[in-house]
Amino acid sequence: MSAEPKERLTDELLAQLMASASPEAYLAESGIADIYPNPVSTVLYVRTGAFPVPATAKLFSTSGKLLLEKTLSCDAFSPMTLDMTSCAPGRYRLKVTYGSLSDTFTVVKL
């Protein structure tokens, strides 16, 4: 069996998934959420995947106090920015929620 029919089948299934899935379903399937740079000194960027979706980022101290909250539509090519210049050096928890999905990250501020 050659690789060509298998590749074509995979491409066809991917095209069907992309055509029928909502952005939220695609994100749930792919598990895409990303922050950079980490560790951060000034601005932290948040990406949620290929589709623009409204996302909420909440930055918490290690004691659980909410320090920063921002809601904005973002995607892989237009990330959300979080200004962390006023945060003291240390560790923080960042919860990113998009649709019914959420990811939590440990952020290190230099």
Side-chain angles (χ1 to χ4, degrees):
M1 182 179 224
S2 71
E4 184 177 292
K6 188 183 237 183
E7 288 174 8
R8 185 172 46 237
L9 179 61
T10 303
D11 291 342
E12 288 171 10
L13 289 174
L14 181 59
Q16 288 174 1
L17 173 65
M18 295 299 292
S20 65
S22 68
E24 187 173 296
Y26 176 75
L27 287 168
E29 196 63 34
S30 62
I32 295 172
D34 188 24
I35 62 170
Y36 65 95
N38 194 14
V40 60
S41 57
T42 55
V43 176
L44 184 71
Y45 296 92
V46 179
R47 300 187 285 201
T48 57
F51 295 104
V53 293
T56 300
K58 294 181 180 181
L59 186 69
F60 297 92
S61 67
T62 53
S63 65
K65 181 180 177 185
L66 178 63
L67 303 173
L68 176 72
E69 182 174 358
K70 187 172 187 178
T71 301
L72 185 56
S73 183
C74 60
D75 61 35
F77 304 104
S78 301
M80 178 189 303
T81 59
L82 299 176
D83 183 1
M84 296 198 52
T85 54
S86 63
C87 297
R91 297 173 76 94
Y92 297 88
R93 300 295 281 172
L94 179 70
K95 183 174 183 179
V96 179
T97 304
Y98 41 98
S100 62
L101 307 171
S102 66
D103 284 319
T104 303
F105 302 92
T106 298
V107 177
V108 176
K109 168 68 165 66
L110 299 176

